[in-house]
Amino acid sequence: MSYRKIPSIGQAHENSCWAACLAWWLKAVQGGRPSWTQAKIMEVYRRSLDGDGAMIPEYMVNAWRNDQRLKMGTMVFKTPNATLDRLPIGPTPVCIAFKHFTGFAHMNVIWPSEGSKVWCMEPYWPFPGVNGKRTGRFVEREINDHFNFGDAVILAWANPFEGESAAPPA
């Protein structure tokens, strides 16, 4: 499937990349999951947000994994001095929360391209843009260069159907 045919989603404000990514991911993976807008997602998870509207990473891991509607697995992967091409990323889009090279926490939705490159649904576009007017965009990135500025990343992937393994995608 060409995931780039699904329109990108721009984040509504400076700290809502997580909500824009989850909204796009739900459209991409479907499989009986809810079809929520970014606004609905921020409402559903409002108790897991900090004062600036960013989702607290520890809450994200547990809230998304435990929300049966999402049918999602989550895991923290340590990355210091490691190459990210060893992450269990399969052909289905995966949400990745990471420390951006500018120092702030950010999220993209990624899936394989060629070699160690991935396609990204980048919600913070245009940059810096205007709240409520960002469109998001698709960009191809080198996984080892763009996502490896912190000591860990969080991956969130589509859990399989009943009876299949719930392990991270291979």
Side-chain angles (χ1 to χ4, degrees):
M1 174 178 190
S2 177
Y3 293 109
R4 290 181 292 150
K5 290 182 179 177
I6 301 166
S8 58
I9 296 177
Q11 60 192 75
H13 61 75
E14 295 87 7
N15 298 310
S16 66
C17 58
W18 63 274
C21 285
L22 182 57
W24 188 89
W25 182 86
L26 288 167
K27 288 179 187 292
V29 299
Q30 299 177 356
R33 292 170 180 85
S35 179
W36 290 338
T37 64
Q38 184 175 177
K40 174 70 174 175
I41 290 167
M42 288 188 282
E43 177 186 318
V44 167
Y45 295 108
R46 71 184 174 282
R47 291 187 182 110
S48 300
L49 306 181
D50 67 16
D52 294 322
M55 184 170 248
I56 300 165
E58 296 80 16
Y59 292 176
M60 178 189 305
V61 171
N62 292 318
W64 288 7
R65 179 188 309 137
N66 294 330
D67 190 334
Q68 296 300 309
R69 298 169 291 187
L70 300 180
K71 303 176 192 175
M72 178 182 267
T74 60
M75 188 179 289
V76 176
F77 291 88
K78 299 294 181 189
T79 58
N81 304 314
T83 59
L84 296 178
D85 55 1
R86 296 179 189 245
L87 289 175
I89 299 171
T92 305
V94 173
C95 294
I96 184 170
F98 61 99
K99 184 175 182 181
H100 193 268
F101 68 86
T102 59
F104 64 90
H106 192 46
M107 181 174 277
N108 284 172
V109 183
I110 63 173
W111 63 97
S113 177
E114 294 180 19
S116 60
K117 292 185 178 183
V118 291
W119 280 108
C120 304
M121 196 295 291
E122 169 59 69
Y124 203 36
W125 181 261
F127 176 81
V130 176
N131 286 348
K133 302 227 185 245
R134 291 183 191 90
T135 59
R137 71 174 178 160
F138 297 105
V139 61
E140 192 176 37
R141 294 188 169 132
E142 174 67 45
I143 195 163
N144 293 325
D145 293 339
H146 192 79
F147 302 98
N148 207 3
F149 292 96
D151 56 0
V153 296
I154 298 170
L155 289 186
W157 61 89
N159 268 340
F161 293 106
E162 281 296 313
E164 295 183 80
S165 170

